[in-house]
Amino acid sequence: MKKYILDFRVSENVQLHDNYALLKLTPADGCPLPEMLPGQFVEVRVDRSPSTFLRRPISINFVDYPHNELWLLIRKAGEGTRTLCGLQAGEILNLVLPLGNTFTLPESAQERILLVGGGVGIAPMLYWGKYLKGKGYTPRFLLGFRSDKDLLQYDQFRQFGEVYVSTEDGSLGEKGFVTQHSILNEPFDRLYVCGPKPMMVAVARYARERQLFCEVSLENTMACGVGACLCCVEDTVEGHVCVCKEGPIFNIEKLKWQI
Amino acid sequence: MADLNVNIGVLSLKNPVMTASGTFGYGEEFADFIDLSRLGGIIVKGTTLHHREGNPYPRMAETPSGMLNAVGLQNKGVDYFIEHIYPRIKEIDTYFLVNVSGASVEDYVATAEKIAALDRIPAIELNISCPNVKEGGMAFGTSCQSAASVVRAVRAAYPKTLIVKLSPNVTDITEIARAVEAEGADAVSLINTLLGMAIDAQRRRPVLSTVTGGLSGACVKPIALRMVWQTYHAVKIPIVGLGGIMNATDAIEFLLAGASAIEVGTANFIDPQISEKIVDGINEYLEKNHIASVKELIGGLML
């Protein structure tokens, strides 16, 4: 899939409480958005942030082709992402995209699919859910947050399937981690997961015990985003592979996690 | 269009802009962004005799104006390169140079001999300066004696253009440059990364799995420029300058300090089109200043 380096204009910056911003972007020159697949990411250049040297890899949250709009959900994790969260409508952002691989499509529309997201890890699941629904599948979503204050994009997810929520403090949905949610008592065929590593490890263990198909979206510290610098490697049964190029989506059977 | 041609020994580059090993993959990774044939050369990933998995993750730490890496020469070995990579890249109309590393003198020689047989690879860059491997690497490049011994052995086995990449992690880089020149190196490239470290204060632990790593990026440019300038006055062979080149002006500064060609490294991560922009930028500088040939800039620093 061809990769591009393009300027985008911030059409809207939606502040989602203190720690997150949803940037809605359109190509600055008005050209149509290139093809992007669920699970892929972009590398964003951060200007006006003196201590930020490298681009920031950000998941594609949603692609709205009718409105020619790309959405990026960004959590304030450091100075770079804080600068991105503070962008104003009209400002220009330089992106390299689309990068990485995509999720594996289920073989049949009858498969029972659960998309699991934790915190900012919900980001790739929105576009994946939309994509699945568009292809005739019936995705369901399990979203985990620390508390009700951290809930993100609930209404957007509901457009594409049933949504289940767990919060660590019990302020919304079921109390506990996503792996403790009662929806997991139901049978599933496939799980797709993105979130903090302990969460992904726990869901992967659950999937492995039941011999379920499970893909996870990894986020390792990276520089180039195209497989050149070999900084973002993950240890797999095939050796060290780049998360930016061979990932970020991995089947758990390939990972050498201790699960 | 000004004359951008430069020479490294018998090697004639269409322009002085090459991409640095370890920052540009095998070139293919950047083919969507730039016209690779517009580059003077592409120095491919550090290649060793045998497959290397490299160091454990985490391998990278960002610093203000730079980054630390601890990749540790991950590559699939020279035979894999010859069988799988070379057939794909050999039709691209630029020079491909292979950066060669090893754990022993014998490794360097055996790898260089295999590369010598490839028609479309006119030169190797001998890496005696990688800070991220326990055996070989920088250990060869930090004493005149060991640097000389590996260059002597490779020189005897490798008939094409031999560029030796020097480490800045030494007391006097000019001594090492003189030592490898005396053993028949056709050129030296400098600098490799500077040994550094990053600490996660919250966890009270080093950021990198290897504790220390190689510092690159804009922050190293003044050191690299100084070393290129010093080495220019110490040796007669051409110098390939690198270290923190982020734009055409940086590249021109290296040429003025004495470099005959330059390598663009970490900047490729921030702007995948930067190497081609630097070619254009050097040409613009020459035309604007009515300079007919880029060769007129080499060593043109006025004191």
Side-chain angles (χ1 to χ4, degrees):
Chain A
M1 183 180 263
K2 184 170 165 56
K3 295 184 273 290
Y4 301 84
I5 177 164
L6 294 172
D7 281 338
F8 281 75
R9 190 179 307 283
V10 178
S11 52
E12 194 179 357
N13 180 348
V14 186
Q15 294 294 314
L16 303 173
H17 58 79
D18 291 346
N19 290 326
Y20 296 90
L22 176 65
L23 294 181
K24 298 185 176 182
L25 310 169
T26 55
D29 64 359
C31 69
L33 286 172
E35 183 189 9
M36 287 173 265
L37 296 171
Q40 291 189 300
F41 66 99
V42 303
E43 282 241 290
V44 184
R45 197 178 70 210
V46 187
D47 296 326
R48 295 196 302 282
S49 176
S51 69
T52 306
F53 184 65
L54 298 165
R55 287 174 180 263
R56 290 291 181 270
I58 307 284
S59 288
I60 291 171
N61 175 232
F62 196 71
V63 187
D64 184 345
Y65 285 109
H67 293 96
N68 210 32
E69 216 168 60
L70 166 67
W71 295 8
L72 303 179
L73 180 64
I74 300 173
R75 180 173 69 95
K76 292 176 194 170
E79 197 177 312
T81 45
R82 243 192 308 279
T83 300
L84 293 174
C85 288
L87 289 172
Q88 305 290 312
E91 290 194 79
I92 299 294
L93 206 53
N94 184 265
L95 268 55
V96 180
L97 80 168
L99 300 172
N101 63 357
T102 182
F103 295 105
T104 305
L105 211 59
E107 289 168 11
S108 123
Q110 276 64 53
E111 289 195 49
R112 294 159 298 191
I113 309 160
L114 187 65
L115 280 53
V116 186
V120 75
I122 69 159
M125 295 305 167
L126 185 66
Y127 185 37
W128 181 220
K130 182 218 178 197
Y131 191 90
L132 284 168
K133 192 178 182 204
K135 297 270 182 194
Y137 297 92
T138 311
R140 288 193 276 176
F141 303 96
L142 172 57
L143 310 179
F145 303 101
R146 289 213 172 117
S147 78
D148 59 348
K149 294 184 187 69
D150 301 311
L151 181 72
L152 296 164
Q153 298 190 301
Y154 180 74
D155 291 333
Q156 282 89 352
F157 276 101
R158 285 189 63 194
Q159 297 174 68
F160 308 118
E162 292 173 30
V163 182
Y164 308 89
V165 173
S166 65
T167 51
E168 290 175 32
D169 65 0
S171 53
L172 191 74
E174 292 188 15
K175 183 175 180 177
F177 298 117
V178 289
T179 42
Q180 297 166 312
H181 198 283
S182 59
I183 189 67
L184 288 174
N185 295 327
E186 294 187 23
F188 287 98
D189 300 303
R190 284 181 187 244
L191 302 175
Y192 300 93
V193 194
C194 186
K197 189 159 183 184
M199 187 204 98
M200 289 197 287
V201 170
V203 178
R205 186 182 296 124
Y206 166 91
R208 185 165 283 183
E209 284 166 3
R210 290 158 183 80
Q211 296 184 308
L212 303 179
F213 176 99
C214 180
E215 283 182 339
V216 294
S217 176
L218 302 187
E219 187 198 16
N220 290 5
T221 311
M222 63 178 66
C224 73
V226 295
C229 70
L230 309 185
C231 287
C232 62
V233 291
E234 184 71 25
D235 203 10
T236 74
V237 294
E238 293 158 3
H240 283 146
V241 302
C242 286
V243 167
C244 69
K245 191 176 178 189
E246 282 89 4
I249 313 300
F250 289 91
N251 191 300
I252 58 168
E253 300 301 326
K254 276 198 170 182
L255 298 173
K256 279 195 176 172
W257 285 355
Q258 298 301 309
I259 57 174
Chain B
M1 185 89 182
D3 177 11
L4 295 180
N5 175 267
V6 295
N7 300 314
I8 303 292
V10 297
L11 195 62
S12 175
L13 305 178
K14 65 180 85 168
N15 64 61
V17 180
M18 297 194 280
T19 53
S21 173
T23 65
F24 209 66
Y26 295 105
E28 304 166 302
E29 293 85 346
F30 290 80
D32 281 343
F33 306 117
I34 62 168
D35 177 359
L36 296 173
S37 71
R38 292 205 60 219
L39 301 179
I42 293 170
I43 305 181
V44 303
K45 178 84 195 107
T47 302
T48 51
L49 186 59
H50 302 296
H51 173 101
R52 283 182 64 96
E53 271 302 299
N55 292 322
Y57 181 83
R59 291 177 171 186
M60 194 272 280
E62 187 182 41
T63 73
S65 303
M67 62 178 277
L68 288 156
N69 90 81
V71 172
L73 294 174
Q74 179 178 328
N75 77 104
K76 292 186 174 176
V78 66
D79 290 336
Y80 183 91
F81 171 78
I82 292 168
E83 193 176 338
H84 297 281
I85 310 290
Y86 178 66
R88 294 205 303 262
I89 62 176
K90 68 178 185 179
E91 302 307 327
I92 298 170
D93 181 27
T94 187
Y95 285 132
F96 278 87
L97 286 67
V98 176
N99 179 283
V100 170
S101 199
S104 66
V105 171
E106 292 74 24
D107 278 5
Y108 278 103
V109 170
T111 309
E113 280 178 333
K114 285 171 183 268
I115 300 290
L118 305 176
D119 291 344
R120 298 281 296 166
I121 308 286
I124 59 171
E125 181 180 60
L126 205 64
N127 182 0
I128 58 168
S129 46
C130 176
N132 293 324
V133 289
K134 283 180 185 161
E135 72 288 346
M138 194 170 80
F140 281 107
T142 48
S143 91
C144 290
Q145 199 175 6
S146 56
S149 68
V150 67
V151 173
R152 188 182 314 136
V154 173
R155 179 73 288 175
Y158 185 78
K160 299 182 185 175
T161 300
L162 174 60
I163 303 169
V164 181
K165 190 168 184 176
L166 304 183
S167 170
N169 303 300
V170 292
T171 310
D172 183 356
I173 198 167
T174 64
E175 288 180 1
I176 312 286
R178 283 197 201 97
V180 303
E181 178 184 40
E183 297 298 340
D186 295 304
V188 286
S189 58
L190 56 143
I191 57 173
N192 206 322
T193 53
L194 285 142
L195 197 59
M197 71 183 289
I199 292 174
D200 181 336
Q202 288 303 315
R203 294 171 54 243
R204 298 189 182 198
R205 292 188 185 281
V207 175
L208 298 174
S209 67
T210 48
V211 183
T212 61
L215 180 66
S216 64
C219 56
V220 310
K221 193 187 85 173
I223 299 164
L225 264 181
R226 183 261 294 178
M227 290 187 168
V228 166
W229 179 72
Q230 288 177 324
T231 304
Y232 179 68
H233 293 285
V235 297
K236 292 186 173 60
I237 53 177
I239 297 165
V240 181
L242 72 153
I245 296 176
M246 306 300 288
N247 52 49
T249 305
D250 292 341
I252 289 160
E253 290 173 20
F254 274 81
L255 296 170
L256 292 171
S260 294
I262 59 99
E263 297 178 23
V264 183
T266 304
N268 292 305
F269 304 155
I270 297 154
D271 182 354
Q273 298 172 323
I274 193 64
S275 51
E276 197 174 0
K277 288 177 184 170
I278 289 175
V279 175
D280 291 335
I282 292 172
N283 183 58
E284 280 170 30
Y285 175 90
L286 295 173
E287 290 189 341
K288 200 171 172 183
N289 291 285
H290 309 291
I291 300 167
S293 167
V294 72
K295 287 177 187 150
E296 293 177 39
L297 293 181
I298 299 168
L301 181 70
M302 292 188 285
L303 295 176

